[in-house]
Amino acid sequence: MSAIARKTLIKRPQPEVTPQLAREHGLSAEEYQRVLGFLGRTPSYTELGIVSVMWSEHCSYKSSRIHLGKLPTRTTARTRVIQGPGENAGVIDIGDGQAAVFKMESHNHPSFVEPFQGAATGVGGILRDVFTMGARPIANLNSLRFGRPDHPRTRHLVDGVVAGIGHYGNCIGVPTVGGEVQFHAAYDGNILVNAFTLGLARADRIFLGTASGLGNPVLYVGSKTGRDGIHGASLLASSEFEAGKEGHRPRVQVGDPFTEKLLLEACLELMAVPDLLIGIQDMGAAGLTSSSVEMAARAGSGIELDLDQVPLREDGMVPYEVMLSESQERMLMVVARGREAEALAIFEKWDLDCAVIGRVTDSGRIVLRAHDTTYVDLPIEPLSEGAKYDRPRSRPTYLDELQAFDPRTLPTPADLAAALLAVLGSPTVASKEWVYRQYDHMVQDGTVIRPGAADAAVVRVVAPDGRQKGLALAVDCPSRLCYLDPYEGARLTVAECARNLVCVGAQPLAVTDCLNFGNPEKPEIMWQFVECVRGLSDMCRELDIPVVSGNVSLYNETDGKAIYPTPTVGIVGLIDDLTARPPLTQGFQRAGDAIVLLGLMTDELGGSEFLEVVHGKVAGAVPRLNEALELTVQRLTLDAARAGLLQSAHDLSEGGLAIGLAECCLTGPTPIGARIQAATPLRADHWLFSEGASRIVVTVRPDDLPRLAELASDLGAPALTLGTVGGSSLSVELGPAGGARAVVVDVPLADLGAAFHRGFARVAE
């Protein structure tokens, strides 16, 4: 370590460990008895702290592990997976000796308590997960959920979270290129902040979190250790909230993106030195405890640490605090024996705190010493294995009434144009320009599509031969649909996210997930979780897309009220040649182009944005997903894009066809109207706002319509010409087949733009 005066540990008596103290650390009576059993004695205070964090829900996944094994981590048709779940991030082969490294994680509870730092450190943590694997981060996304727009805390939370995300990403120089933001009363007491990072690495140079090689030195690198974040994993993230959440603020970490930038560059430089780095792990949740235990567990080894050597930034710290601190921007790594000086020299060059703090053993134990005293001597296996439960689950009875509701019993709104503007201007649907203009999405000069212009983001990757490829990425989750039907909602989540990638012309390749739920000790919540995992698993298999990484966030519940089940999905896809096939955007490009619907019109309003915004209802049967139709529509869109037939493409989701058309009118090179004329037996409001699955609106030049129709016929895919781009309004004429049509909406572009661009002001300006 560089010759800088540093603070030292103090020695003071440890509190006596009792069953009551164990309960205060989050261990159940049964879990504490298990600890006594494998130790054969009462644990020390520091040992209790280590067990409590390693066996917490956040670290051990004790309620979810037995179900996560159902997710497909490799698929039959694609063999691109280099590293699946179980490491810091997932890795897939994208050809040309290159690999995409990505993962999504939550920072929900900290962001509710302290929105700026909670969101900022969430971004910092997921960035470290990616560059720990040997990848340079090239793009960030986020998926955010907030409470009611008029809730007294919503504006404060939105402001803080967006500022924190922007601050960290902008300072470290990684573009935030897209994401999603939704609002609902279900998130009044627990917001969601899910952060996604994508990195680029050499396919033959992927680094894992393993502590192997007897006698190899263990290095600490990064910021000094303080008291911030202690018990963030075991108590803040692994239990319900109660009133007075501000008391949790000391458990929220504080981030420093400038130190993270130095850490990123130093780690990548170290990784470029042949055979120097053996294993590396971010000190994230549970800090030095989880990183050391998990690295040893993966290797089947042991680890000894001298805590006197850990760089500290606060006076009076004790081993318990050092091991449970979640101070940010820290890494633990194992390097080749005898080459410590090479590694330390790199980190000192980057002005980072660094020290040799231990060594790898073959004992299968974690042993921690400080000032000639052994504070911890625990077996690795039971720590890493943790607790594991198959919790009771039962279907909520309230779903019977909700799913039985028939939207056709509601009257058609007297003013459909006003209904359209109300849905378009709802904060969930309205333009998120206020959000993404705070993010630097052009840093690194690799962003191909600006945020808000397409269904997915696309970042440029240059192959060794100079060819420009595109990595497309999107995150999604229709939370209302998952609440009304967790299984079908999860299937729709995967299908919609994949459809977003197809709409830019990318082939979906692999999934990461972030599964956000309430208290798993409640059978209804556990049922939601299991059904969502089943839905994700089935749809990933249908689409042949493996799950390569992910995260589970439980106990998102305050005073007994849980969030909607929110199994957020992120998918990465590939455009193999950007020059030959530039990505599509969603906005209409020019007057005279034909507007075509790929897919079927259905009468499905259950769980729709229209139903909630206009009628105040969250109810009904969710849209049913036909796997064959979904695959066919996606295949048609990709084939048509690759053939150069499409001028634009936009997936239909929240708000249905009417909102999709309005967005296409507003997000192109310049606003432009559309005239729609269609024959339908459906009610006008159902035709406009149905959120039926497997539908994409595309535009084509009139001369290309026959070729698109031929391609659709060959694939057996529905393709219906709806109208023409042009004019100064969105006009829709409907009527029965063979009968007279009537104009049901004719909304000027100025009114559409005002609703769309000002809708977010209710929560942010």
Side-chain angles (χ1 to χ4, degrees):
M1 179 182 172
S2 56
I4 299 174
R6 59 188 175 92
K7 304 183 187 300
T8 59
L9 289 172
I10 66 168
K11 186 174 184 178
R12 67 176 180 228
Q14 297 190 77
E16 180 186 358
V17 174
T18 64
Q20 176 60 32
L21 187 61
R23 282 195 296 273
E24 292 171 3
H25 277 68
L27 293 176
S28 68
E30 294 77 12
E31 289 167 347
Y32 182 58
Q33 286 302 312
R34 183 181 164 196
V35 174
L36 297 178
F38 75 71
L39 273 182
R41 58 176 173 81
T42 300
S44 70
Y45 182 58
T46 305
E47 288 174 333
L48 176 65
I50 286 175
V51 174
S52 73
V53 294
M54 290 306 301
W55 285 16
S56 68
E57 190 71 62
H58 191 71
C59 290
S60 73
Y61 286 19
K62 57 189 176 185
S63 299
S64 60
R65 252 188 304 160
I66 64 170
H67 305 290
L68 296 177
K70 302 169 186 174
L71 295 170
T73 57
R74 292 183 182 270
T75 54
T76 56
R78 304 193 186 106
T79 56
R80 293 181 177 267
V81 177
I82 295 174
Q83 177 63 55
E87 268 292 341
N88 291 293
V91 187
I92 59 171
D93 191 332
I94 60 170
D96 305 295
Q98 297 173 309
V101 181
F102 58 99
K103 189 182 182 183
M104 181 162 49
E105 281 205 348
S106 62
H107 228 220
N108 302 335
H109 291 79
S111 298
F112 187 81
V113 174
E114 177 25 67
F116 181 91
Q117 289 295 347
T121 52
V123 173
I126 196 65
L127 284 165
R128 289 193 299 279
D129 281 341
V130 167
F131 73 74
T132 295
M133 305 292 291
R136 178 173 292 280
I138 60 174
N140 290 331
L141 297 176
N142 52 76
S143 175
L144 311 177
R145 295 290 185 279
F146 298 101
R148 290 167 291 149
D150 58 353
H151 188 277
R153 289 204 71 199
T154 295
R155 180 167 296 193
H156 164 71
L157 292 168
V158 171
D159 287 348
V161 166
V162 172
I165 291 170
H167 170 74
Y168 210 101
N170 296 353
C171 289
I172 198 173
V174 178
T176 301
V177 296
E180 61 155 6
V181 187
Q182 295 186 21
F183 297 83
H184 194 275
Y187 304 95
D188 281 351
N190 287 83
I191 65 172
L192 302 184
V193 176
N194 294 174
F196 172 109
T197 292
L198 168 70
L200 183 67
R202 280 177 46 176
D204 63 350
R205 192 175 286 274
I206 302 299
F207 293 88
L208 306 179
T210 180
S212 59
L214 180 63
N216 279 335
V218 177
L219 271 64
Y220 172 116
V221 179
S223 296
K224 292 182 174 68
T225 294
R227 291 187 172 91
D228 48 318
I230 291 176
H231 280 303
S234 59
L235 298 181
L236 181 57
S238 299
S239 59
E240 290 185 31
F241 272 156
E242 297 177 356
K245 297 92 181 172
E246 288 73 12
H248 290 295
R249 187 167 285 115
R251 296 184 182 136
V252 178
Q253 309 93 330
V254 177
D256 179 1
F258 300 106
T259 297
E260 178 121 329
K261 175 63 173 175
L262 299 177
L263 187 61
L264 161 64
E265 299 300 340
C267 286
L268 293 181
E269 181 176 331
L270 179 79
M271 291 165 173
V273 179
D275 305 319
L276 176 54
L277 182 63
I278 305 299
I280 180 170
Q281 176 109 341
D282 163 42
M283 291 191 220
L288 186 53
T289 290
S290 62
S291 55
S292 55
V293 170
E294 289 171 4
M295 290 180 74
R298 292 190 187 108
S301 64
I303 195 166
E304 289 185 0
L305 301 180
D306 180 358
L307 300 186
D308 287 322
Q309 303 306 313
V310 174
L312 304 178
R313 73 163 186 262
E314 296 190 40
D315 286 318
M317 292 188 72
V318 296
Y320 176 97
E321 295 171 321
V322 172
M323 293 305 296
L324 270 62
S325 166
E326 293 185 7
S327 295
Q328 295 292 284
E329 293 86 38
R330 302 181 300 159
M331 291 284 190
L332 192 69
M333 57 188 67
V334 174
V335 300
R337 188 175 185 179
R339 301 183 66 183
E340 301 93 319
E342 291 178 67
L344 294 174
I346 291 173
F347 294 117
E348 288 175 349
K349 184 187 82 171
W350 288 95
D351 198 26
L352 291 164
D353 284 285
C354 52
V356 176
I357 67 168
R359 66 185 183 93
V360 177
T361 71
D362 59 2
S363 67
R365 304 181 74 82
I366 179 171
V367 178
L368 308 179
R369 297 188 175 93
H371 32 66
D372 300 322
T373 301
T374 298
Y375 280 83
V376 169
D377 187 349
L378 294 170
I380 294 285
E381 184 178 1
L383 289 181
S384 62
E385 176 62 23
K388 184 164 59 175
Y389 299 119
D390 185 0
R391 295 197 184 276
R393 48 193 182 271
S394 62
R395 181 180 181 276
T397 56
Y398 62 74
L399 286 181
D400 294 335
E401 181 179 353
L402 290 177
Q403 292 178 356
F405 174 75
D406 185 354
R408 290 173 295 186
T409 61
L410 296 171
T412 300
D415 188 340
L416 287 172
L420 191 158
L421 293 172
V423 176
L424 185 63
S426 68
T428 290
V429 173
S431 170
K432 306 305 186 297
E433 183 179 3
W434 182 90
V435 175
Y436 57 71
R437 74 186 181 199
Q438 299 185 54
Y439 304 152
D440 186 345
H441 57 271
M442 295 306 297
V443 65
Q444 297 190 19
D445 197 31
T447 305
V448 180
I449 302 175
R450 64 175 175 81
D455 288 6
V458 180
V459 290
R460 184 183 300 105
V461 172
V462 180
D465 63 4
R467 187 176 83 260
Q468 292 192 3
K469 303 186 291 189
L471 284 175
L473 51 158
V475 291
D476 221 320
C477 183
S479 307
R480 271 192 309 265
L481 303 185
C482 294
Y483 167 68
L484 292 172
D485 191 326
Y487 174 76
E488 290 296 338
R491 293 175 72 235
L492 289 161
T493 296
V494 177
E496 182 179 335
C497 198
R499 216 178 303 131
N500 289 334
L501 269 64
V502 166
C503 283
V504 299
Q507 174 68 60
L509 296 182
V511 168
T512 184
D513 59 48
C514 196
L515 310 179
N516 307 274
F517 293 81
N519 184 347
E521 298 169 49
K522 297 180 178 179
E524 293 180 352
I525 301 298
M526 202 63 223
W527 179 85
Q528 290 176 340
F529 179 86
V530 172
E531 286 296 288
C532 281
V533 169
R534 186 168 69 92
L536 294 177
S537 178
D538 286 353
M539 201 62 217
C540 285
R541 286 190 172 88
E542 290 288 347
L543 296 179
D544 200 22
I545 309 176
V547 179
V548 297
S549 60
N551 176 72
V552 177
S553 174
L554 302 177
Y555 294 98
N556 291 288
E557 191 158 326
T558 297
D559 296 333
K561 184 176 180 181
I563 63 166
Y564 278 174
T566 310
T568 309
V569 160
I571 304 183
V572 172
L574 180 66
I575 303 172
D576 58 11
D577 192 333
L578 281 177
T579 303
R581 287 180 290 277
L584 294 166
T585 53
Q586 68 188 26
F588 293 147
Q589 300 297 301
R590 63 188 60 81
D593 283 351
I595 302 169
V596 181
L597 174 68
L598 309 183
L600 298 172
M601 289 303 304
T602 61
D603 189 7
E604 294 175 296
L605 281 178
S608 65
E609 188 77 12
F610 165 79
L611 204 60
E612 181 166 14
V613 171
V614 176
H615 293 288
K617 300 281 292 185
V618 177
V622 307
R624 293 300 164 184
L625 185 64
N626 181 305
E627 299 90 345
L629 177 62
E630 181 69 39
L631 287 165
T632 301
V633 168
Q634 290 194 24
R635 173 70 183 277
L636 173 58
T637 306
L638 272 178
D639 288 355
R642 290 167 176 167
L645 299 180
L646 305 184
Q647 302 302 307
S648 68
H650 187 25
D651 164 50
L652 299 184
S653 54
E654 288 92 352
L657 180 56
I659 297 305
L661 291 169
E663 291 169 339
C664 292
C665 288
L666 297 171
T667 57
T670 58
I672 188 170
R675 185 181 182 190
I676 306 299
Q677 297 175 309
T680 178
L682 301 180
R683 273 174 41 174
D685 54 340
H686 291 209
W687 190 94
L688 290 168
F689 300 109
S690 167
E691 294 184 10
S694 311
R695 298 185 300 161
I696 296 173
V697 167
V698 301
T699 55
V700 298
R701 295 181 185 273
D703 291 347
D704 288 330
L705 264 177
R707 291 178 61 199
L708 179 63
E710 181 180 2
L711 187 57
S713 178
D714 290 344
L715 292 173
L720 173 67
T721 300
L722 295 176
T724 306
V725 176
S728 59
S729 68
L730 173 58
S731 174
V732 178
E733 299 178 21
L734 299 179
R741 289 193 291 264
V743 175
V744 295
V745 294
D746 189 358
V747 184
L749 288 174
D751 293 346
L752 292 176
F756 186 60
H757 293 294
R758 297 176 189 169
F760 205 80
R762 293 169 53 194
V763 293
E765 295 179 356

